[in-house]
């Protein structure tokens, strides 16, 4: 994966520094983030901030071409990243608002209420109603940033859990990874969809193309996954993700069939209709319910994570649907086709 192109002073400084040997990263480019306390929802759509975080986090996944792997744990990079994370976290708290205290026993039903009350706009409904191949391709390019590493960010939770919650997370993740069979791994099924659409199936081929809000939705899971203190939020995020998956995936699959997609192209979506109907139960009860029972002080974090997931999904959908309503692309750059 090539390092992305910087989108502002901080991300440009980072990309340039990563091309050299690991050494002290300067705070200069993030000074504005450190001193400005007026954080609001705009930080979620801040191209410079979100790309900065995305580039930092990717060092913990597959890394970047030509970047010395020792950068992953370079203390000065982690210190500068903490400034960016503080800004992102403050924006999340601002946009999500206070999460009510909850008894551990009530976590599964409260998650259900949160999801049921979510009335954000639906990309699935729009694609189902009148999406053409160009819009579908664009949507898949947006989602590829997550789906080509599907399940990886939530896997950071496994070593941080114990007992029934750990078993539940592993049960979900086993399906995501195709129970160890490469052709059944969800990321590979997604590659099949991309291939049929003629898209570039390279890991992170579309990072330069997607806007800040899409990067933010990905950074959110990495933030929760990489910090043990956010383990409750990570599980809540996964629960909200699974609980809002089955119906949209049915619509995506049907939309793609209407556009001529053969079974290998729609399989990713068809698989999720079935799998996530099961996963949502496991996630709410066996995973989050068990976790809250074991760590009641973290029950509110579970709801915070779920609320963040729903909020970022809504912001992404608003961005995409507003762009389409104005007859323009939701991407920053035109799509490069792979074939
Ligand atoms: Fe999946
Ligand atoms: Fe799932």
């Amino acid at each position: 994966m090539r390092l992305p192109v910087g989108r502002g002073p901080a991300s440009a400084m980072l990309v340039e520094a990563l091309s050299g040997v690991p050494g002290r990263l300067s705070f200069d480019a993030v000074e504005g983030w450190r001193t400005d306390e007026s954080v609001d929802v705009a930080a979620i759509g801040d191209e410079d901030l979100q790309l900065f975080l995305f580039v930092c986090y990717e060092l913990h996944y597959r890394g970047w071409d030509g970047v010395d792997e020792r950068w992953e744990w370079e203390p000065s990079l982690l210190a500068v990243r903490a400034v960016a994370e503080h800004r992102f976290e403050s924006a999340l708290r601002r946009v999500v608002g206070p999460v009510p205290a909850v008894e551990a026993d009530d976590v599964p039903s409260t998650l259900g209420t949160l999801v049921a009350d979510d009335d954000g706009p639906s990309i699935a409904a729009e694609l189902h109603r009148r999406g053409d191949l160009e819009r579908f391709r664009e949507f898949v390019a947006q989602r590829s940033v997550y789906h080509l590493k599907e399940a990886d960010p939530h896997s950071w939770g496994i070593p941080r859990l114990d007992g029934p919650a750990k078993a539940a997370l592993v049960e979900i993740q086993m399906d995501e990874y195709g129970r160890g069979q490469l052709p059944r791994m969800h990321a590979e099924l997604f590659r099949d969809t991309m291939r049929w659409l003629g898209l570039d199936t390279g890991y992170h081929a579309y990072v330069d193309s997607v806007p800040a809000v899409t990067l933010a939705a990905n950074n959110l899971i990495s933030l929760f996954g990489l910090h043990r203190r956010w383990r409750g939020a990570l599980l809540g995020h996964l629960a909200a993700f699974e609980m809002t998956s089955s119906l949209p995936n049915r619509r995506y699959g049907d939309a793609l069939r209407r556009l001529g997609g053969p079974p290998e192209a729609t399989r990713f979506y068809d698989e999720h209709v079935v799998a996530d109907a099961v996963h949502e139960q496991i996630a709410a009860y066996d995973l989050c319910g068990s976790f809250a029972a074991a760590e009641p002080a973290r029950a509110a974090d579970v709801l915070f994570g779920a609320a963040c997931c729903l909020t970022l999904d809504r912001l992404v959908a608003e961005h995409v649907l507003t762009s389409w309503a104005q007859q323009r692309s939701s991407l920053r750059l035109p799509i490069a086709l792979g074939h």
Side-chain angles (χ1 to χ4, degrees):
M1 277 153 312
R2 272 179 306 109
L3 274 166
V5 176
R7 300 186 190 179
S11 54
M13 176 276 297
L14 178 65
V15 166
E16 197 191 323
L18 289 179
S19 307
V21 289
R24 261 202 92 67
L25 202 66
S26 153
F27 276 95
D28 291 354
V30 301
E31 202 47 44
W33 295 343
R34 207 154 47 153
T35 48
D36 174 20
E37 287 298 316
S38 63
V39 174
D40 60 14
V41 61
I44 292 170
D46 182 329
E47 300 285 349
D48 196 27
L49 178 80
Q50 296 302 338
L51 184 68
F52 180 92
L53 280 172
F54 190 85
V55 170
C56 287
Y57 287 150
E58 193 56 38
L59 296 169
H60 297 290
Y61 294 95
R62 318 283 208 276
W64 298 103
D65 288 349
V67 172
D68 190 314
E69 294 180 357
R70 289 172 297 176
W71 272 111
E72 182 185 4
W73 296 106
E74 164 55 39
S76 62
L77 182 144
L78 298 178
V80 178
R81 189 185 84 184
V83 174
E85 287 178 317
H86 177 70
R87 195 167 175 79
F88 186 33
E89 277 187 41
S90 305
L92 289 169
R93 287 186 197 284
R94 187 75 58 91
V95 69
V96 166
V99 174
V102 63
E103 293 294 324
D105 286 351
D106 296 332
V107 163
S109 60
T110 311
L111 283 170
T113 308
L114 258 182
V115 168
D117 289 350
D118 179 49
D119 56 359
S122 168
I123 299 176
E126 173 65 16
L127 285 174
H128 189 247
R129 210 174 315 143
R130 57 181 159 215
D132 59 13
L133 266 181
E134 195 185 334
R135 291 299 186 222
F136 207 98
R137 225 174 244 133
E138 189 181 317
F139 160 72
V140 166
Q142 291 269 14
R143 288 293 157 98
S144 68
V145 178
Y146 174 71
H147 288 312
L148 291 178
K149 63 150 88 88
E150 179 158 328
D152 290 348
H154 293 109
S155 293
W156 298 119
I158 296 173
R160 294 175 179 153
L161 299 176
D162 204 358
K166 188 188 196 86
L169 181 53
V170 170
E171 187 178 358
I172 294 172
Q173 298 303 82
M174 280 204 303
D175 282 343
E176 305 294 342
Y177 293 119
R179 300 195 166 251
Q181 294 172 41
L182 182 66
R184 294 178 60 197
M185 270 174 54
H186 289 184
E188 292 304 312
L189 299 181
F190 192 75
R191 270 209 171 88
D192 294 339
T193 304
M194 295 186 83
R195 211 169 279 124
W196 184 78
L197 288 164
L199 291 166
D200 187 340
T201 61
Y203 182 78
H204 284 347
Y206 295 104
V207 166
D208 277 325
S209 305
V210 302
V213 69
T214 301
L215 296 178
N218 284 273
N219 288 337
L220 176 70
I221 333 178
S222 297
L223 170 75
F224 290 160
L226 288 167
H227 293 272
R228 183 175 166 274
R229 67 190 166 89
W230 278 125
R231 61 197 177 280
L234 180 72
L235 306 188
H237 182 284
L238 178 58
F241 202 81
E242 299 289 350
M243 293 166 90
T244 52
S245 168
S246 204
L247 174 62
N249 277 298
R250 183 184 299 279
R251 287 171 162 168
Y252 295 135
D254 288 345
L256 199 49
R257 258 182 291 279
R258 173 172 57 72
L259 295 169
E264 67 266 25
T266 62
R267 186 153 170 233
F268 172 84
Y269 301 108
D270 301 337
E271 183 80 16
H272 281 90
V273 175
V274 183
D276 289 348
V278 180
H279 289 172
E280 68 171 86
Q281 298 298 322
I282 302 173
Y285 290 89
D286 303 335
L287 178 63
C288 293
S290 304
F291 173 77
E295 298 200 52
R298 302 276 168 179
D301 284 356
V302 175
L303 300 184
F304 177 70
C308 286
C309 175
L310 298 173
T311 301
L312 278 252
D313 273 4
R314 177 168 55 75
L315 294 176
V316 170
E318 283 172 1
H319 167 77
V320 170
L321 294 173
T322 303
S323 304
W324 290 353
Q326 295 170 356
Q327 309 298 327
R328 56 184 171 80
S329 170
S330 64
L331 296 168
R332 305 171 69 243
L333 302 169
I335 293 180
L337 298 181
H339 307 289

